[in-house]
Amino acid sequence: MYPVRFKLHHYSVCAVLLASIFAMMTTLNGCSSDSDPNTPSAVNYTEQGWSHYESGNYAQALLSFERALNFDEELADAHNGVGWSHLSLSLNPPLAQEAFQNAVQLDTSNADAWVGLANILYLRNKEAADFKAAIRAIDNALQGDPQYLFRHDYRSKADLYALKASCYFYLGEHQSAEIEINKALQIDTTNETAITLQNLLAE
């Protein structure tokens, strides 16, 4: 019986040692993966998404942003990327709106997401409430974090003022539209949207 007891005891010790070694390796691997820039992460996938977006590959961008959200559902800029990708692909406006809303709920300073939300509301053009909500979204964008602005799809505040002017124009608030047109043209005298609206108001 003694040899059997010794064998069992020997195996028990080995099992404990192996478990300890495995735990140490897991801990070390966990630490090293956090600092490894090649390790997939929400931030990495989001950066890849914007890279694809800038190159015009909106489908691949959408895939990257969705992968980012698989790692971190609360990453506001990944939601923002999903919104812009859907908007550019013209796939599903309701999903784009939902993504932008998720982004601004998670980070109210994300001006780019506010601009995206304003665009989708303006394009939806279902009722006056959409234009009013778009105007509020643009105001929030202008008050948001400047680092998020002008990354893509629009060049300066002139574009935002012009979009705001368009909303006022369709609301029939022509005086307010003129104010926003003038703001846009003070920044960019060649802004096509502002010039078109100005001509329409002059007729």
Side-chain angles (χ1 to χ4, degrees):
M1 295 296 294
Y2 175 78
V4 173
R5 284 201 303 271
F6 174 78
K7 182 180 285 188
L8 288 173
H9 177 69
H10 177 70
Y11 283 149
S12 298
V13 171
C14 288
V16 171
L17 287 173
L18 285 171
S20 299
I21 292 169
F22 178 77
M24 288 176 62
M25 289 178 66
T26 302
T27 303
L28 289 171
N29 287 337
C31 294
S32 63
S33 65
D34 290 340
S35 60
D36 185 354
N38 296 319
T39 302
S41 71
V43 173
N44 288 340
Y45 276 125
T46 301
E47 290 174 352
Q48 289 176 21
W50 287 121
S51 179
H52 290 308
Y53 190 96
E54 292 300 331
S55 66
N57 191 347
Y58 305 125
Q60 189 61 47
L62 178 60
L63 182 61
S64 294
F65 291 129
E66 288 177 339
R67 283 176 174 169
L69 292 174
N70 286 335
F71 280 87
D72 184 358
E73 292 182 355
E74 296 189 355
L75 186 58
D77 208 37
H79 285 286
N80 180 38
V82 169
W84 279 105
S85 298
H86 274 297
L87 187 59
S88 296
L89 288 166
S90 300
L91 284 178
N92 196 322
L95 282 181
Q97 182 176 345
E98 181 183 1
F100 288 131
Q101 288 172 334
N102 287 337
V104 297
Q105 285 172 2
L106 290 165
D107 181 5
T108 57
S109 70
N110 192 319
D112 191 44
W114 283 115
V115 175
L117 183 58
N119 272 280
I120 202 70
L121 290 167
Y122 173 78
L123 293 170
R124 189 168 71 168
N125 187 14
K126 283 189 175 180
E127 52 190 24
D130 287 335
F131 292 121
K132 292 177 180 178
I135 290 168
R136 290 193 297 272
I138 296 167
D139 287 337
N140 287 333
L142 291 167
Q143 295 168 14
D145 191 336
Q147 74 169 332
Y148 287 113
L149 286 174
F150 319 127
R151 293 189 298 174
H152 53 81
D153 291 88
Y154 53 100
R155 297 170 299 167
S156 73
K157 288 183 178 180
D159 292 325
L160 304 185
Y161 290 129
L163 178 58
K164 200 173 172 184
S166 298
C167 292
Y168 280 124
F169 179 82
Y170 285 110
L171 285 169
E173 299 181 25
H174 292 176
Q175 187 174 357
S176 295
E178 287 179 2
I179 292 172
E180 301 303 327
I181 288 168
N182 290 333
K183 289 180 183 177
L185 293 176
Q186 285 174 2
I187 297 171
D188 179 8
T189 57
T190 66
N191 188 282
E192 293 181 5
T193 302
I195 292 171
T196 300
L197 288 170
Q198 191 176 55
N199 293 335
L200 288 171
L201 289 174
E203 292 178 356

